[in-house]
Amino acid sequence: MKNNTILILGGYGEAGRLIAHYLLRESDVRLILAGRNLDKAQAAAAELNTTVFGQRVTAQLLDAADQTGLEKAFAQVQMVVVASSTSQYTRNVAQAALNIGIDYLDILYSTPKLEILKSLANQMKQQGLCFISDGGFHPGLPAAMVRYLAPEFERLETAHVGSVIKVNWEALRLSPATIEEFVLEMLEFQPVCFTNGEWRRDWKNRRTFDFGTVFGKQKCMAMLLEEMKSLPQNYPSLKETGFFVGGFNWFVDNILMLPSMMILSIWRGRAIRPISRLLHWGLNKYSKPPFGTVLLLEASGWKGKQFTKRQLIIEHGDGYLLTVLPVVACLLQYLDGSIRKPGLWMQGNVVEPKRFFNDLQRMGVAAKIQ
Ligand SMILES: NC(=O)c1ccc[n+]([C@@H]2O[C@H](COP(=O)([O-])OP(=O)(O)OC[C@H]3O[C@@H](n4cnc5c(N)ncnc54)[C@H](OP(=O)(O)O)[C@@H]3O)[C@@H](O)[C@H]2O)c1
């Protein structure tokens, strides 16, 4: 194992390249960009070595399906960052990291992934390895936002996080595996939020958030994120909490989504490829400006005898940067050892929130409390 070297699986993908770029700017770490296309990995490494000072990036041919290859590559690094659309290979990647004895961070949203990682959590603890899952902005930011604002209250009672995510899909060069994984993720969608002291699943779990002058009022649907589950235990006064997500565009939301989900639930395996192509087309064709991402936390509770309401707004014009910068801010805390501890953690729960949001602001994310 080499200290201060990180392998990014999917290192030349949209998210991976940006993680690499900002991590090089923010730290003295060395990187290996890995994926199934060596030419692309080498081109991305060469570009980073030119644009960011120093020759700190190399390229590696690596397939997440190949556990022996993963183990060989992991012997060169202290951590793997999984920024590849490879949730189906989570067991391979996690087991290879455990076998070699390196740390792990991923930015994937996947229920089966979490089940696999949880089944390996004891091994992580016993081996003293730090696994951080659900990195990025959703998952990744909502629980950290609640933890950041919670000290403003003596008794925090409600904490709802809404999000509007308007991405210029046409400008992205996503791998077909990513779109297919995205469709699978939609099948795992759980409309769950915490109401009156219990987690409740209901398609009527919706809330309207006012996202300000650009995006206005939007109805958002509850979406269960693992990181939110520990909040009621950590803040026992909390009566209501949850994460709520807005739609993509009118065509995908109102025309494509329901029939696609019905077809997928009937034919699953056979339907994934055609449905993922159809959804990708709908996202490309009907997603129009303004683009940007906003996360809005609405919290209320008591400060002494005063009932208080607070909002925390996090925004960035580029949804991909808002995915990547939280990962980098988390890795900065990991690299200096301040949050490195054995076991399985969610990014939203493991980061120290004050420094985390200060670093995000320094790197260009707008954050304000109202
Ligand atoms: N948490 C969040 O907030 C958040 C936000 C955005 C995206 N994400 C997730 O991040 C992941 C990457 O997204 P992206 O937008 O960066 O996608 P992308 O641009 O398509 O990049 C995916 C990368 O994964 C690599 N890859 C795919 N299959 C692989 C395999 N079997 N072995 C090794 N590498 C493989 C691809 O390269 P090759 O195909 O050439 O191997 C590519 O480099 C997705 O799972 C996405 O859901 C999370």
Side-chain angles (χ1 to χ4, degrees), residues 152-300:
E152 301 263 327
F153 300 88
E154 277 158 29
R155 278 178 57 81
L156 178 64
E157 291 198 339
T158 67
H160 299 107
V161 184
S163 74
V164 59
I165 304 157
K166 299 294 176 198
V167 174
N168 183 6
W169 292 91
E170 244 183 332
L172 301 173
R173 293 160 289 165
L174 299 179
S175 127
T178 304
I179 305 293
E180 285 170 27
E181 191 185 69
F182 177 61
V183 169
L184 279 174
E185 283 165 10
M186 287 196 295
L187 275 178
E188 292 159 18
F189 188 96
Q190 296 186 58
V192 175
C193 62
F194 187 75
T195 318
N196 290 330
E198 59 177 346
W199 292 98
R200 284 196 194 155
R201 182 193 161 93
D202 192 332
W203 289 101
K204 288 189 212 129
N205 281 340
R206 291 163 195 250
R207 276 182 80 83
T208 301
F209 291 83
D210 187 347
F211 292 103
T213 45
V214 179
F215 297 108
K217 283 190 182 168
Q218 305 223 2
K219 217 170 211 176
C220 301
M221 168 79 82
M223 174 182 183
L224 184 64
L225 297 181
E226 183 72 20
E227 68 200 56
M228 302 299 279
K229 287 185 185 168
S230 60
L231 294 174
Q233 288 139 40
N234 295 339
Y235 306 101
S237 55
L238 205 53
K239 292 179 186 155
E240 288 184 16
T241 191
F243 173 67
F244 298 79
V245 68
F248 297 103
N249 62 51
W250 72 270
F251 186 76
V252 170
D253 298 345
N254 302 323
I255 312 284
L256 283 187
M257 197 55 90
L258 191 61
S260 299
M261 289 301 114
M262 283 163 71
I263 293 169
L264 275 168
S265 56
I266 298 167
W267 284 300
R268 206 171 165 102
R270 273 183 298 160
I272 284 173
R273 193 152 290 175
I275 294 289
S276 67
R277 285 191 188 148
L278 185 66
L279 282 175
H280 197 200
W281 170 81
L283 290 169
N284 280 346
K285 179 134 181 88
Y286 291 95
S287 297
K288 303 283 178 226
F291 297 117
T293 300
V294 184
L295 283 133
L296 168 62
L297 164 60
E298 294 177 341
S300 68

Side-chain angles (χ1 to χ4, degrees), residues 352-370:
E352 192 287 299
K354 224 171 176 179
R355 175 179 165 197
F356 182 68
F357 285 104
N358 283 344
D359 281 347
L360 285 179
Q361 279 183 289
R362 187 173 49 74
M363 290 189 276
V365 174
K368 62 173 185 265
I369 295 180
Q370 284 178 349

Side-chain angles (χ1 to χ4, degrees), residues 19 61 126 130 135-136 256 274 299 357:
I19 293 174
L61 182 66
Q126 279 161 12
C130 176
L256 283 187
F357 285 104

Side-chain angles (χ1 to χ4, degrees), residues 2 5-13 31-46 48-49 56-64 66-77 79-81 84 102:
K2 274 192 191 152
T5 307
I6 292 179
L7 183 143
I8 306 181
L9 198 57
Y12 52 86
L31 298 176
I32 300 174
L33 307 187
R36 295 171 300 174
N37 186 321
L38 186 59
D39 288 344
K40 284 189 189 172
Q42 283 173 333
L48 284 168
N49 279 328
R56 289 187 280 150
V57 193
T58 55
Q60 169 107 39
L61 182 66
L62 195 54
D63 186 341
D66 168 17
Q67 198 177 327
T68 316
L70 290 170
E71 289 183 10
K72 221 168 139 194
F74 289 176
Q76 309 298 315
V77 298
M79 174 186 243
V80 56
V81 169
S84 47
I102 63 163

